[in-house]
Amino acid sequence: MTAQQTTSLLAGLAVLVLLARLLGAAARRLGQPAVIGEVLAGIALGPTLFDGAVSDALFPDSVRPLFGALAAVGIAVFMFIIGLDWDAGLIRGIGSLAATVSLSSILLPFGLGTLLALYLLRDHAAADRTAFTLFMGIAMSITAFPVLARILTDRGMARTPLGVVALACASVDDVLAWSLLAAVVALSGPAGPSGPEEWRILLAVPYLLGMLFVVRPLLRRLAARTDALRLTPGVLAGVLAGLLLSAAATEWLGLHYIFGAFLFGAVLPRTGTERLRADVHDRLGQLSGTLLLPVFFLVAGLGVDLSGLDAGGLGDLGLILAVAIGGKFAGAFTAARLHRMPVRESAALATLMNTRGLTELIVLNVGRDLGILGQDLYSLMVVMAVVTTAMAGPLLNWLQGRPREPDAATTPAPHREADPAV
C-alpha cells in the first residue's frame, strides 16, 4: 500500500466516523434509530450529491477495495452479534402466535415481492430471472431484529406483552428469512449449481450439523471452566478467530460469509455464560458500531446514486414502498387479529415488523455482490429500507402515544447502549 493510499484511507475513515456519529446523534434527537443517520452519512458521501465529487476526493478508486475489506469484517462481527443475541426461548409460551405472525409477515410480502419482480424485469434486466424474482421476495420479507429491539428498549416496551411478542416474531422472521436467502445464494452464488465448485455446497449440511452437534458441545464444555467465564484477551481472541473461521467456511462453501458469522454466534452456549456474553457483546459492539459499520454504510452508500432519478424511477420506488409496507403490515396485522389481539396492538405489531434497517442493507448488498441487483434498483431498495425504518417511531407515537422512559434495571443485556448501529 502506497503512502497516498494510506493517507486517503486514514483521512477517509476519520471523516466517515465523525459524520456517522454526528448524523446518528441527530437522528436520535429526532426520535429515530441511529442507523438512519448513519445510512444517510454513507449516502451523503456517495455519488448522489455533488455529482460524486466528494466521494471521488475522499475515497478514490485505489482505496475502495480496502474499505470493502473493512466493511466485510464489520458485517461479519455484526452478524455474529445478531446470532449471539438470538434467543429461541423468546417464543416459549407464545410459539403459536409468533409462528403465525412471522409466517404471515413473510409469505404475503414474499409473494407480492415476486410479482413485483416480474413487473420490474421489464426495465431492470437480470442475468438470472429466477434468482432475481426470489431475491425480491426475500428483500420484501425482512424484519431487522436489532433495530426493532432498540426501538422497543428506547420506548420502554421491551418487557411489555407487545414487546415480547414483537421480539419473538422478529426472531422467527429472521431465521426464516436468512434460511431463504441462504437458499438463493446457494443457487446463484459462484459455487452454486452452475459454478465450477458446485460440489462444495453439498458440504453445507454436514457443516451445519458439525456446528450444532460438535462445536456447540465443545464450546459448552470450555465455558464450564471457571477461567473461561471471564473475557480475557485469550478468550476474546478465540471468539474472534471462531467467528472469522466460521464466516470463511461458509464463504468457501458457496454461501455468504454472513451465515457462518451468524451461526457461530448462535451456537455459543447461553446457560451460565451471561456475563461473558455481555462482555463480548459490549467489546465487539463498540468496535463494530463506532468504526466498522460506518465503513459498511459508506460502501453501501457508494452504490447509491439517486441523482438521475426520473419519473419512471419514482414510479418504481412507489411500487416498491407499497409492496414492502403493505405486504408486511397486512400479513402481520391479519395474523395478530386472528389471534384476537386488539386492533391498535395488532397495528403496532405490524408497524414494528416493518422495520428493516441494517439487516435489509446487508441483504441488499448480498444481492448487489451476486449481480442480482443493478445500481438503479439497488438505490431504490436502499431508500425503501430507510423509509420503512424511519416510519416506525412516528406511527408508534400515533398508535400508542409518546414513548416512556426505558427502565435500565429491566433492559435486556443484548440491547444496551453499546449495540452497534441500531
Side-chain angles (χ1 to χ4, degrees):
M1 189 164 66
T2 66
Q4 183 177 1
Q5 287 176 314
T6 302
T7 301
S8 297
L9 175 66
L10 297 177
L13 281 174
V15 172
L16 175 62
V17 168
L18 290 176
L19 184 61
R21 195 68 180 174
L22 178 64
L23 294 187
R28 283 190 177 278
R29 290 183 66 86
L30 295 173
Q32 293 291 340
V35 68
I36 294 295
E38 293 170 355
V39 172
L40 293 178
I43 295 175
L45 294 173
T48 296
L49 301 180
F50 309 111
D51 199 26
V54 175
S55 59
D56 291 341
L58 288 174
F59 313 105
D61 291 340
S62 61
V63 300
R64 291 190 183 185
L66 303 176
F67 283 99
L70 285 175
V73 175
I75 291 304
V77 172
F78 179 77
M79 290 302 298
F80 164 77
I81 293 175
I82 291 181
L84 194 70
D85 289 349
W86 190 75
D87 183 6
L90 285 171
I91 64 175
R92 191 175 296 119
I94 54 173
S96 176
L97 173 61
T100 304
V101 173
S102 298
L103 284 173
S104 298
S105 64
I106 282 184
L107 292 178
L108 183 57
F110 182 89
L112 293 176
T114 57
L115 293 177
L116 175 63
L118 298 176
Y119 170 80
L120 293 174
L121 279 170
R122 300 189 308 175
D123 298 319
H124 302 275
D128 189 334
R129 295 170 64 92
T130 301
F132 176 80
T133 302
L134 293 175
F135 182 86
M136 286 298 295
I138 294 168
M140 297 297 170
S141 308
I142 291 292
T143 294
F145 180 88
V147 176
L148 184 149
R150 183 77 237 181
I151 290 173
L152 292 174
T153 300
D154 288 346
R155 298 179 64 87
M157 296 172 57
R159 297 295 188 183
T160 64
L162 176 60
V164 172
V165 170
L167 287 172
C169 294
S171 68
V172 176
D173 192 300
D174 264 10
V175 172
L176 294 174
W178 289 124
S179 300
L180 290 172
L181 181 61
V184 172
V185 172
L187 290 172
S188 60
S194 61
E197 303 293 349
E198 65 271 9
W199 60 270
R200 293 180 184 174
I201 199 66
L202 301 176
L203 300 177
V205 173
Y207 177 76
L208 175 62
L209 295 176
M211 291 291 288
L212 293 176
F213 298 109
V214 177
V215 175
R216 172 180 268 177
L218 177 61
L219 292 174
R220 188 178 293 117
R221 285 195 293 271
L222 290 174
R225 299 180 180 179
T226 304
D227 59 348
L229 295 178
R230 295 183 299 110
L231 187 60
T232 63
V235 172
L236 181 59
V239 170
L240 283 171
L243 82 90
L244 293 174
L245 286 172
S246 183
T250 53
E251 184 75 19
W252 180 82
L253 289 173
L255 299 173
H256 202 275
Y257 64 85
I258 60 176
F259 301 108
F262 173 85
L263 183 59
F264 187 75
V267 301
L268 286 181
R270 306 189 65 86
T271 305
T273 60
E274 290 79 5
R275 180 178 177 182
L276 176 63
R277 293 166 62 86
D279 289 345
V280 169
H281 188 287
D282 289 349
R283 192 78 60 87
L284 294 183
Q286 289 177 2
L287 172 65
S288 178
T290 305
L291 177 63
L292 297 177
L293 283 181
V295 176
F296 169 73
F297 294 130
L298 168 69
V299 172
L302 290 175
V304 175
D305 188 357
L306 300 172
S307 59
L309 190 63
D310 55 14
L314 287 174
D316 289 344
L317 177 59
L319 285 174
I320 290 170
L321 287 171
V323 169
I325 297 171
K328 199 75 171 174
F329 190 95
F333 180 83
T334 302
R337 290 293 295 145
L338 290 175
H339 279 269
R340 301 181 184 278
M341 284 187 68
V343 173
R344 281 188 173 270
E345 287 197 4
S346 298
L349 178 60
T351 298
L352 288 166
M353 295 298 288
N354 242 310
T355 57
R356 288 175 171 87
L358 176 55
T359 307
E360 179 75 17
L361 292 182
I362 294 173
V363 172
L364 296 180
N365 275 267
V366 171
R368 185 182 62 171
D369 292 344
L370 293 175
I372 297 175
L373 293 181
Q375 185 184 55
D376 291 344
L377 190 54
Y378 170 82
S379 300
L380 298 180
M381 295 293 285
V382 170
V383 173
M384 179 272 288
V386 173
V387 171
T388 54
T389 304
M391 72 180 194
L395 282 178
L396 288 173
N397 289 339
W398 177 64
L399 290 167
Q400 295 200 314
R402 307 298 296 183
R404 299 172 297 176
E405 287 296 324
D407 184 359
T410 61
T411 299
H415 313 310
R416 291 171 297 184
E417 193 64 29
D419 280 14
V422 298

